[in-house]
Amino acid sequence: MPDQDLYPVPPEWAKRARVDATGYEKLYGRSLADPGSFWLEQARRLDWIKRPEIAGDWSFAEKDFRIQWFADGKLNVAANCLDRHLAKRGDQIALIWEPDEPGEEPRRFTYRELHAEVCRFANVLKDQGARRGDRVTIYMPMIPEAAFAILACARIGAIHSVVFGGFSPEALAGRITDCDSAFLVTADEGRRGGKRIPLKANVDAAAERAPALKTVIVVKATSGAVTMHEGRDIWYHEAAESVPATCSPEPMGAEDPLFILYTSGSTGQPKGVLHTSGGYLLWASLTHELAFDYRPGDVWWCAADIGWVTGHSYILYGPLANGATTLMFEGLPTWPDASRIWQVVDRHKVHTIFTAPTALRALMKEGDSFVAATSRQSLKLLGTVGEPINPEAWRWYYDVVGEGRCPIIDTWWQTETGGAMIAPMPGATDLKPGSATKPMPGVDPQLVDTEGEVLQGATSGNLVIAKSWPGQMRTVWGDHNRFFQTYFTTYPGKYFTGDGALRDEDGYWWITGRVDDVINVSGHRMGTAEVESALVLHPMVAEAAVVGMPHDIKGQGIYAYVTLNSGETASSDLRAELVKWVRAEIGPIAAPDKLQFAPGLPKTRSGKIMRRILRKIAEGDVSSLGDTSTLADPSVVDDLVANRVV
Ligand code: 6R9
């Protein structure tokens, strides 16, 4: 069983929060007992053109497979995020933009201003011929115009497909082609950590391989040199000069597509995850409010990139639907130094920060002084998402960043789920470091064994979700059969998350990592996250990644990659010490068979460790590492290969 330290709900949170412990039990119980009336009531949080009279209509069974929510309702998502706030909070700041350069002025937009910007962008898209149902690829840096473009698509009923600005031309071309997108929005260049990213040049290269592309709208962000292609490319600022700042929102069915988001493929082609309008927005908005006890006036900062689902749901859709002030950051947490995040928090009086464990570990490695140099008095809540958070990083976040006063909201979810699925509520849920705690209303998680047998009580297994929820993805773009095959056939009748999890005696959920990352050592299951967590507990270790490797006797052995804190030196003594350390922390079964010191780990630009590459290296299969172009720093792979432990 994992670390069972309990951090009880602080009394002031129990008092002030929307939902306390009893409230949670009631809410959750009702959501499962009477989903029809529960969800129709929840649907009232949105502004409908036609209010729905049916809630969920779904079946995960092959013969009548379908997923629909609020199917008879009509709404416009952008109007929900903008227009409906104008009367009450038109002059409230909706969006704060913090630039890459710390010396540069932030930009701020009130709801009224954001509304006007989105309408202008919508009119430019329409002038270029974009219509309801058309796919618009958005390949943008983290600048306000990215938000305008996304919301403009929602306003006119076009389907946006945001491609992370760090992806290569090849990856971009594949995504344009897969959804047959004739329109693309980009910028001359992006900036991050003082470096320039040639977005427009990447688009030019991608366009050669993406014949579907007809129109490229270019936002001038850095004024860097670009080549404009006659007949294909237009400058946004020129096109926007002559369009009105109003544009009536297109009435959309709740089940009309809102966006496609390609998930970084661990195997095969990336999948175009499709989300629709009503259920998705409801889910983003409800989970933002409940998990973070969001209150009007709170300054909210989700530090993800807009190119990932976290950016979609928690920079834009959830917070804006709730009328929040949302912060968008162009830069990097470690640039110019490891104080930057906390300086931004102080500058904008941020109430809640929502970031990823990998960022926390990177900052933790630099030492506490960068945090201590800032005030952080405005912070009330700390969020995390993206991977299991190791208890050591959790405690650092809690003790050093939050100085023991801010509950940690560890949200487990996926691109496929639209928003948080398992997460605490600050006024209701006692916390355990490393546990995402309890399910959100309507979420029915179960554990199954490899045969699909549902497991009861405190145990571990494969995490499935037994019932549909409004934020669930509806299909894989262009391949409905792949959607069914990928998620509903492993355990028939249930949505399979691909994650393993553990449920403890208190009914708390602990995500142990992707099931494909679980190692089977001598018939015993070993979560890679658990071994990694043990390794990073060692005072000299900054980060660790563990994969399985073929082993003659045990079936699978454990191969560990370890990054040391700055200033520490690798040695064979330290290697032996770390193996002993894990043995002592978890048990002999978890002791790494091989341990390689690595100056860096291969990570996607969203911070996920590419285990596929680590597995190949561990297996000694270094000739077929596959595509490494989507890595944040492809050069780390060379070092890993050169120093492989044989
Ligand atoms: C939102 C997002 C989904 C996968 C998911 C799981 C891992 C996300 C987590 C977590 C443990 C958390 N994951 N949040 N694991 N604790 N709080 O990250 O979506 O990029 O699709 O990744 O990330 O393995 O299956 P996505």
Side-chain angles (χ1 to χ4, degrees), residues 409-468:
I409 308 301
D410 176 0
T411 64
W412 171 81
W413 56 294
Q414 312 176 296
T415 305
E416 294 88 336
T417 72
M421 297 289 280
I422 301 181
M425 299 182 195
T429 325
D430 300 338
L431 305 174
K432 297 183 185 186
S435 169
T437 75
K438 301 279 187 102
M440 297 303 285
V443 175
D444 186 10
Q446 293 182 350
L447 292 172
V448 296
D449 66 15
T450 41
E451 266 72 62
E453 218 39 64
V454 177
L455 305 168
Q456 307 295 337
T459 186
S460 59
N462 296 327
L463 180 61
V464 298
I465 311 290
K467 296 184 176 66
S468 184

Short mmCIF file of all heavy atoms in Angstrom, two decimals, residues 409-468:
data_model
loop_
_atom_site.label_atom_id
_atom_site.label_comp_id
_atom_site.label_asym_id
_atom_site.label_seq_id
_atom_site.Cartn_x
_atom_site.Cartn_y
_atom_site.Cartn_z
N ILE A 409 -4.66 19.83 -5.45
CA ILE A 409 -5.72 19.22 -6.24
C ILE A 409 -5.05 18.43 -7.36
O ILE A 409 -4.64 18.98 -8.38
CB ILE A 409 -6.67 20.31 -6.81
CG1 ILE A 409 -7.17 21.24 -5.69
CG2 ILE A 409 -7.84 19.66 -7.56
CD1 ILE A 409 -7.94 20.54 -4.57
N ASP A 410 -4.93 17.13 -7.13
CA ASP A 410 -4.32 16.22 -8.11
C ASP A 410 -5.44 15.66 -8.97
O ASP A 410 -6.26 14.88 -8.50
CB ASP A 410 -3.57 15.11 -7.36
CG ASP A 410 -2.96 14.06 -8.29
OD1 ASP A 410 -3.11 14.18 -9.52
OD2 ASP A 410 -2.36 13.11 -7.77
N THR A 411 -5.49 16.08 -10.23
CA THR A 411 -6.60 15.70 -11.09
C THR A 411 -6.17 14.63 -12.08
O THR A 411 -5.28 14.86 -12.89
CB THR A 411 -7.11 16.92 -11.89
OG1 THR A 411 -6.08 17.38 -12.78
CG2 THR A 411 -7.51 18.05 -10.97
N TRP A 412 -6.81 13.50 -12.01
CA TRP A 412 -6.55 12.45 -13.01
C TRP A 412 -7.59 12.53 -14.11
O TRP A 412 -8.80 12.55 -13.83
CB TRP A 412 -6.60 11.04 -12.40
CG TRP A 412 -6.55 10.02 -13.52
CD1 TRP A 412 -5.42 9.59 -14.16
CD2 TRP A 412 -7.65 9.41 -14.19
NE1 TRP A 412 -5.76 8.74 -15.18
CE2 TRP A 412 -7.12 8.61 -15.22
CE3 TRP A 412 -9.04 9.45 -14.02
CZ2 TRP A 412 -7.92 7.85 -16.08
CZ3 TRP A 412 -9.84 8.70 -14.88
CH2 TRP A 412 -9.28 7.90 -15.88
N TRP A 413 -7.12 12.59 -15.32
CA TRP A 413 -8.02 12.55 -16.48
C TRP A 413 -7.20 12.38 -17.74
O TRP A 413 -6.00 12.13 -17.66
CB TRP A 413 -8.92 13.78 -16.53
CG TRP A 413 -8.24 15.12 -16.53
CD1 TRP A 413 -7.50 15.66 -15.52
CD2 TRP A 413 -8.22 16.08 -17.59
NE1 TRP A 413 -7.04 16.90 -15.88
CE2 TRP A 413 -7.46 17.19 -17.15
CE3 TRP A 413 -8.79 16.13 -18.87
CZ2 TRP A 413 -7.25 18.31 -17.94
CZ3 TRP A 413 -8.58 17.26 -19.64
CH2 TRP A 413 -7.82 18.33 -19.18
N GLN A 414 -7.84 12.47 -18.90
CA GLN A 414 -7.20 12.19 -20.17
C GLN A 414 -7.79 13.08 -21.26
O GLN A 414 -8.89 13.60 -21.10
CB GLN A 414 -7.46 10.72 -20.59
CG GLN A 414 -7.22 9.72 -19.50
CD GLN A 414 -7.58 8.31 -19.92
OE1 GLN A 414 -8.73 8.00 -20.19
NE2 GLN A 414 -6.58 7.44 -19.99
N THR A 415 -7.08 13.17 -22.37
CA THR A 415 -7.63 13.88 -23.53
C THR A 415 -9.03 13.35 -23.81
O THR A 415 -9.96 14.11 -24.10
CB THR A 415 -6.73 13.64 -24.77
OG1 THR A 415 -5.40 14.02 -24.44
CG2 THR A 415 -7.21 14.45 -25.96
N GLU A 416 -9.18 12.06 -23.69
CA GLU A 416 -10.43 11.38 -24.01
C GLU A 416 -11.57 11.74 -23.06
O GLU A 416 -12.74 11.62 -23.41
CB GLU A 416 -10.24 9.86 -23.94
CG GLU A 416 -9.30 9.27 -24.99
CD GLU A 416 -7.84 9.25 -24.56
OE1 GLU A 416 -7.43 10.06 -23.69
OE2 GLU A 416 -7.09 8.42 -25.10
N THR A 417 -11.24 12.16 -21.84
CA THR A 417 -12.29 12.37 -20.85
C THR A 417 -12.79 13.81 -20.81
O THR A 417 -13.75 14.11 -20.12
CB THR A 417 -11.85 11.96 -19.43
OG1 THR A 417 -10.90 12.91 -18.94
CG2 THR A 417 -11.26 10.56 -19.40
N GLY A 418 -12.09 14.73 -21.49
CA GLY A 418 -12.54 16.11 -21.60
C GLY A 418 -12.23 16.98 -20.39
O GLY A 418 -12.01 18.18 -20.53
N GLY A 419 -12.23 16.41 -19.21
CA GLY A 419 -11.97 17.17 -18.00
C GLY A 419 -11.69 16.20 -16.86
O GLY A 419 -11.71 14.97 -17.06
N ALA A 420 -11.46 16.77 -15.68
CA ALA A 420 -11.05 15.98 -14.52
C ALA A 420 -12.07 14.88 -14.19
O ALA A 420 -13.28 15.10 -14.23
CB ALA A 420 -10.88 16.89 -13.30
N MET A 421 -11.58 13.70 -13.89
CA MET A 421 -12.43 12.54 -13.58
C MET A 421 -12.31 12.11 -12.13
O MET A 421 -13.28 11.75 -11.48
CB MET A 421 -12.02 11.36 -14.47
CG MET A 421 -12.22 11.60 -15.95
SD MET A 421 -13.94 11.63 -16.42
CE MET A 421 -14.29 9.87 -16.50
N ILE A 422 -11.06 12.05 -11.66
CA ILE A 422 -10.82 11.71 -10.26
C ILE A 422 -9.99 12.86 -9.71
O ILE A 422 -8.91 13.16 -10.24
CB ILE A 422 -10.07 10.37 -10.13
CG1 ILE A 422 -10.88 9.24 -10.78
CG2 ILE A 422 -9.77 10.06 -8.66
CD1 ILE A 422 -10.24 7.86 -10.67
N ALA A 423 -10.52 13.52 -8.69
CA ALA A 423 -9.84 14.69 -8.15
C ALA A 423 -10.50 15.08 -6.83
O ALA A 423 -11.70 14.87 -6.66
CB ALA A 423 -9.95 15.86 -9.13
N PRO A 424 -9.72 15.63 -5.92
CA PRO A 424 -10.32 16.08 -4.67
C PRO A 424 -11.12 17.37 -4.85
O PRO A 424 -10.99 18.04 -5.87
CB PRO A 424 -9.10 16.36 -3.78
CG PRO A 424 -7.91 16.42 -4.67
CD PRO A 424 -8.27 15.86 -6.01
N MET A 425 -11.93 17.70 -3.88
CA MET A 425 -12.54 19.02 -3.78
C MET A 425 -12.02 19.60 -2.48
O MET A 425 -12.08 18.92 -1.44
CB MET A 425 -14.06 18.89 -3.76
CG MET A 425 -14.59 18.25 -5.03
SD MET A 425 -16.39 18.15 -5.01
CE MET A 425 -16.63 16.98 -6.35
N PRO A 426 -11.51 20.83 -2.51
CA PRO A 426 -10.74 21.31 -1.36
C PRO A 426 -11.52 21.37 -0.04
O PRO A 426 -10.92 21.23 1.02
CB PRO A 426 -10.28 22.71 -1.80
CG PRO A 426 -11.15 23.08 -2.95
CD PRO A 426 -11.56 21.80 -3.60
N GLY A 427 -12.83 21.54 -0.10
CA GLY A 427 -13.62 21.61 1.12
C GLY A 427 -14.16 20.26 1.56
O GLY A 427 -14.79 20.14 2.61
N ALA A 428 -13.94 19.23 0.73
CA ALA A 428 -14.60 17.96 0.98
C ALA A 428 -13.66 16.78 1.21
O ALA A 428 -14.00 15.83 1.90
CB ALA A 428 -15.52 17.62 -0.20
N THR A 429 -12.48 16.85 0.61
CA THR A 429 -11.65 15.66 0.51
C THR A 429 -10.35 15.79 1.29
O THR A 429 -9.54 16.67 0.99
CB THR A 429 -11.31 15.38 -0.98
OG1 THR A 429 -12.42 15.75 -1.80
CG2 THR A 429 -10.98 13.91 -1.20
N ASP A 430 -10.15 14.93 2.28
CA ASP A 430 -8.84 14.85 2.92
C ASP A 430 -7.85 14.35 1.87
O ASP A 430 -8.20 13.52 1.04
CB ASP A 430 -8.86 13.87 4.10
CG ASP A 430 -9.87 14.27 5.17
OD1 ASP A 430 -10.22 15.47 5.23
OD2 ASP A 430 -10.31 13.39 5.94
N LEU A 431 -6.63 14.84 1.93
CA LEU A 431 -5.67 14.51 0.88
C LEU A 431 -4.67 13.46 1.33
O LEU A 431 -4.34 13.38 2.50
CB LEU A 431 -4.91 15.78 0.46
CG LEU A 431 -5.80 16.96 0.03
CD1 LEU A 431 -4.95 18.20 -0.23
CD2 LEU A 431 -6.62 16.61 -1.22
N LYS A 432 -4.21 12.68 0.35
CA LYS A 432 -3.10 11.76 0.58
C LYS A 432 -2.10 12.02 -0.54
O LYS A 432 -2.48 11.95 -1.71
CB LYS A 432 -3.58 10.30 0.50
CG LYS A 432 -4.60 9.92 1.56
CD LYS A 432 -4.95 8.44 1.45
CE LYS A 432 -6.07 8.06 2.42
NZ LYS A 432 -6.32 6.60 2.41
N PRO A 433 -0.85 12.30 -0.20
CA PRO A 433 0.13 12.64 -1.24
C PRO A 433 0.28 11.53 -2.27
O PRO A 433 0.62 10.40 -1.90
CB PRO A 433 1.44 12.83 -0.46
CG PRO A 433 1.02 13.07 0.95
CD PRO A 433 -0.28 12.34 1.15
N GLY A 434 -0.01 11.84 -3.52
CA GLY A 434 0.14 10.86 -4.59
C GLY A 434 -1.17 10.23 -5.01
O GLY A 434 -1.21 9.49 -5.99
N SER A 435 -2.25 10.53 -4.30
CA SER A 435 -3.55 9.98 -4.68
C SER A 435 -4.41 11.08 -5.30
O SER A 435 -4.52 12.17 -4.75
CB SER A 435 -4.28 9.40 -3.47
OG SER A 435 -5.63 9.11 -3.80
N ALA A 436 -5.06 10.75 -6.43
CA ALA A 436 -6.00 11.70 -7.03
C ALA A 436 -7.34 11.69 -6.27
O ALA A 436 -8.27 12.39 -6.63
CB ALA A 436 -6.19 11.39 -8.51
N THR A 437 -7.41 10.90 -5.27
CA THR A 437 -8.52 10.79 -4.29
C THR A 437 -9.81 10.18 -4.85
O THR A 437 -9.84 9.01 -5.13
CB THR A 437 -8.78 12.11 -3.53
OG1 THR A 437 -9.46 13.05 -4.34
CG2 THR A 437 -7.50 12.70 -2.95
N LYS A 438 -10.87 11.00 -5.04
CA LYS A 438 -12.22 10.46 -5.27
C LYS A 438 -12.78 10.88 -6.63
O LYS A 438 -12.42 11.92 -7.15
CB LYS A 438 -13.15 11.02 -4.18
CG LYS A 438 -12.74 10.68 -2.75
CD LYS A 438 -13.18 9.28 -2.41
CE LYS A 438 -12.92 8.98 -0.94
NZ LYS A 438 -14.11 9.05 -0.11
N PRO A 439 -13.73 10.07 -7.15
CA PRO A 439 -14.31 10.42 -8.46
C PRO A 439 -15.20 11.66 -8.41
O PRO A 439 -15.85 11.94 -7.41
CB PRO A 439 -15.14 9.18 -8.81
CG PRO A 439 -15.34 8.44 -7.54
CD PRO A 439 -14.21 8.78 -6.63
N MET A 440 -15.25 12.35 -9.52
CA MET A 440 -16.16 13.49 -9.70
C MET A 440 -17.58 12.93 -9.85
O MET A 440 -17.76 11.75 -10.18
CB MET A 440 -15.81 14.27 -10.97
CG MET A 440 -14.43 14.92 -10.95
SD MET A 440 -14.17 16.04 -9.59
CE MET A 440 -15.12 17.43 -10.12
N PRO A 441 -18.60 13.79 -9.67
CA PRO A 441 -19.97 13.33 -9.86
C PRO A 441 -20.15 12.66 -11.22
O PRO A 441 -19.60 13.14 -12.22
CB PRO A 441 -20.79 14.62 -9.79
CG PRO A 441 -19.96 15.57 -9.02
CD PRO A 441 -18.53 15.20 -9.28
N GLY A 442 -20.88 11.58 -11.25
CA GLY A 442 -21.17 10.90 -12.51
C GLY A 442 -20.10 9.93 -12.96
O GLY A 442 -20.33 9.17 -13.90
N VAL A 443 -18.94 9.97 -12.33
CA VAL A 443 -17.84 9.11 -12.76
C VAL A 443 -17.88 7.82 -11.95
O VAL A 443 -17.85 7.85 -10.72
CB VAL A 443 -16.48 9.81 -12.59
CG1 VAL A 443 -15.34 8.87 -12.92
CG2 VAL A 443 -16.43 11.07 -13.45
N ASP A 444 -17.96 6.70 -12.65
CA ASP A 444 -18.07 5.40 -11.99
C ASP A 444 -16.83 4.55 -12.31
O ASP A 444 -16.87 3.70 -13.19
CB ASP A 444 -19.36 4.71 -12.45
CG ASP A 444 -19.61 3.41 -11.69
OD1 ASP A 444 -18.91 3.14 -10.70
OD2 ASP A 444 -20.51 2.66 -12.12
N PRO A 445 -15.73 4.80 -11.60
CA PRO A 445 -14.51 4.04 -11.90
C PRO A 445 -14.61 2.65 -11.30
O PRO A 445 -15.24 2.44 -10.26
CB PRO A 445 -13.41 4.83 -11.19
CG PRO A 445 -14.09 5.66 -10.16
CD PRO A 445 -15.54 5.75 -10.49
N GLN A 446 -14.03 1.70 -11.99
CA GLN A 446 -13.97 0.34 -11.48
C GLN A 446 -12.58 -0.22 -11.76
O GLN A 446 -11.88 0.25 -12.65
CB GLN A 446 -15.01 -0.55 -12.16
CG GLN A 446 -16.44 -0.17 -11.84
CD GLN A 446 -17.44 -1.10 -12.51
OE1 GLN A 446 -17.09 -1.92 -13.35
NE2 GLN A 446 -18.70 -0.97 -12.13
N LEU A 447 -12.24 -1.26 -10.99
CA LEU A 447 -11.00 -1.98 -11.25
C LEU A 447 -11.38 -3.34 -11.79
O LEU A 447 -12.27 -4.00 -11.26
CB LEU A 447 -10.20 -2.13 -9.96
CG LEU A 447 -9.64 -0.83 -9.39
CD1 LEU A 447 -9.03 -1.07 -8.01
CD2 LEU A 447 -8.60 -0.23 -10.33
N VAL A 448 -10.70 -3.74 -12.85
CA VAL A 448 -10.94 -5.08 -13.39
C VAL A 448 -9.61 -5.81 -13.50
O VAL A 448 -8.55 -5.19 -13.62
CB VAL A 448 -11.63 -5.03 -14.78
CG1 VAL A 448 -13.01 -4.42 -14.69
CG2 VAL A 448 -10.79 -4.27 -15.79
N ASP A 449 -9.68 -7.13 -13.44
CA ASP A 449 -8.46 -7.91 -13.67
C ASP A 449 -8.32 -8.15 -15.17
O ASP A 449 -9.14 -7.67 -15.96
CB ASP A 449 -8.46 -9.20 -12.84
CG ASP A 449 -9.55 -10.18 -13.26
OD1 ASP A 449 -10.12 -10.01 -14.37
OD2 ASP A 449 -9.85 -11.11 -12.49
N THR A 450 -7.28 -8.87 -15.56
CA THR A 450 -7.03 -9.02 -17.01
C THR A 450 -8.15 -9.76 -17.72
O THR A 450 -8.30 -9.65 -18.93
CB THR A 450 -5.69 -9.72 -17.27
OG1 THR A 450 -5.56 -10.78 -16.32
CG2 THR A 450 -4.52 -8.77 -17.11
N GLU A 451 -8.96 -10.51 -16.96
CA GLU A 451 -10.09 -11.22 -17.58
C GLU A 451 -11.33 -10.33 -17.65
O GLU A 451 -12.36 -10.74 -18.17
CB GLU A 451 -10.44 -12.48 -16.79
CG GLU A 451 -9.77 -13.75 -17.32
CD GLU A 451 -8.29 -13.79 -17.01
OE1 GLU A 451 -7.95 -13.79 -15.81
OE2 GLU A 451 -7.48 -13.77 -17.97
N GLY A 452 -11.22 -9.13 -17.05
CA GLY A 452 -12.38 -8.24 -17.06
C GLY A 452 -13.28 -8.42 -15.86
O GLY A 452 -14.33 -7.79 -15.74
N GLU A 453 -12.87 -9.28 -14.93
CA GLU A 453 -13.63 -9.50 -13.70
C GLU A 453 -13.55 -8.23 -12.84
O GLU A 453 -12.46 -7.70 -12.63
CB GLU A 453 -12.93 -10.67 -12.96
CG GLU A 453 -13.81 -11.67 -12.24
CD GLU A 453 -15.09 -12.05 -12.95
OE1 GLU A 453 -15.05 -12.63 -14.06
OE2 GLU A 453 -16.14 -11.75 -12.36
N VAL A 454 -14.69 -7.73 -12.37
CA VAL A 454 -14.68 -6.52 -11.55
C VAL A 454 -14.18 -6.86 -10.14
O VAL A 454 -14.66 -7.80 -9.51
CB VAL A 454 -16.09 -5.89 -11.48
CG1 VAL A 454 -16.10 -4.67 -10.57
CG2 VAL A 454 -16.56 -5.51 -12.88
N LEU A 455 -13.20 -6.09 -9.68
CA LEU A 455 -12.58 -6.35 -8.38
C LEU A 455 -13.21 -5.46 -7.32
O LEU A 455 -13.50 -4.30 -7.57
CB LEU A 455 -11.08 -6.10 -8.47
CG LEU A 455 -10.35 -6.88 -9.58
CD1 LEU A 455 -8.94 -6.34 -9.78
CD2 LEU A 455 -10.33 -8.36 -9.25
N GLN A 456 -13.39 -6.02 -6.14
CA GLN A 456 -13.99 -5.25 -5.03
C GLN A 456 -12.93 -4.94 -3.99
O GLN A 456 -11.90 -5.59 -3.92
CB GLN A 456 -15.12 -6.06 -4.38
CG GLN A 456 -16.19 -6.58 -5.33
CD GLN A 456 -16.98 -5.48 -6.01
OE1 GLN A 456 -17.07 -4.36 -5.52
NE2 GLN A 456 -17.57 -5.80 -7.16
N GLY A 457 -13.22 -3.95 -3.16
CA GLY A 457 -12.40 -3.66 -2.00
C GLY A 457 -11.06 -3.04 -2.34
O GLY A 457 -10.84 -2.55 -3.44
N ALA A 458 -10.15 -3.08 -1.34
CA ALA A 458 -8.84 -2.46 -1.52
C ALA A 458 -7.97 -3.38 -2.36
O ALA A 458 -7.62 -4.47 -1.92
CB ALA A 458 -8.20 -2.21 -0.16
N THR A 459 -7.65 -2.94 -3.55
CA THR A 459 -6.89 -3.78 -4.47
C THR A 459 -6.41 -2.95 -5.64
O THR A 459 -6.73 -1.77 -5.75
CB THR A 459 -7.77 -4.95 -4.98
OG1 THR A 459 -6.97 -5.82 -5.74
CG2 THR A 459 -8.93 -4.46 -5.82
N SER A 460 -5.64 -3.57 -6.51
CA SER A 460 -5.23 -2.85 -7.71
C SER A 460 -5.72 -3.59 -8.94
O SER A 460 -6.07 -4.77 -8.87
CB SER A 460 -3.71 -2.70 -7.75
OG SER A 460 -3.11 -3.97 -7.73
N GLY A 461 -5.75 -2.89 -10.06
CA GLY A 461 -6.25 -3.50 -11.29
C GLY A 461 -6.20 -2.51 -12.44
O GLY A 461 -5.55 -1.47 -12.35
N ASN A 462 -6.91 -2.85 -13.49
CA ASN A 462 -6.99 -1.96 -14.65
C ASN A 462 -8.17 -1.02 -14.45
O ASN A 462 -9.27 -1.44 -14.07
CB ASN A 462 -7.18 -2.76 -15.93
CG ASN A 462 -5.97 -3.63 -16.21
OD1 ASN A 462 -4.84 -3.25 -15.87
ND2 ASN A 462 -6.18 -4.80 -16.79
N LEU A 463 -7.93 0.24 -14.74
CA LEU A 463 -8.95 1.25 -14.47
C LEU A 463 -9.90 1.37 -15.66
O LEU A 463 -9.48 1.71 -16.77
CB LEU A 463 -8.27 2.59 -14.19
CG LEU A 463 -9.19 3.77 -13.89
CD1 LEU A 463 -10.04 3.51 -12.64
CD2 LEU A 463 -8.36 5.04 -13.71
N VAL A 464 -11.16 1.10 -15.40
CA VAL A 464 -12.20 1.29 -16.42
C VAL A 464 -13.25 2.24 -15.86
O VAL A 464 -13.34 2.44 -14.65
CB VAL A 464 -12.89 -0.05 -16.81
CG1 VAL A 464 -11.89 -1.03 -17.42
CG2 VAL A 464 -13.59 -0.68 -15.61
N ILE A 465 -14.02 2.82 -16.75
CA ILE A 465 -15.13 3.67 -16.32
C ILE A 465 -16.39 2.99 -16.85
O ILE A 465 -16.52 2.71 -18.04
CB ILE A 465 -15.01 5.11 -16.89
CG1 ILE A 465 -13.61 5.69 -16.65
CG2 ILE A 465 -16.10 6.00 -16.31
CD1 ILE A 465 -13.23 6.02 -15.23
N ALA A 466 -17.31 2.72 -15.90
CA ALA A 466 -18.44 1.86 -16.25
C ALA A 466 -19.60 2.60 -16.90
O ALA A 466 -20.45 1.97 -17.53
CB ALA A 466 -18.92 1.13 -14.99
N LYS A 467 -19.66 3.92 -16.70
CA LYS A 467 -20.79 4.67 -17.25
C LYS A 467 -20.27 5.86 -18.05
O LYS A 467 -19.19 6.38 -17.76
CB LYS A 467 -21.66 5.22 -16.12
CG LYS A 467 -22.33 4.15 -15.28
CD LYS A 467 -23.26 4.79 -14.25
CE LYS A 467 -24.02 3.72 -13.47
NZ LYS A 467 -23.09 2.90 -12.64
N SER A 468 -21.06 6.30 -19.00
CA SER A 468 -20.67 7.49 -19.75
C SER A 468 -20.84 8.74 -18.88
O SER A 468 -21.62 8.74 -17.92
CB SER A 468 -21.52 7.62 -21.02
OG SER A 468 -21.08 8.73 -21.78
#
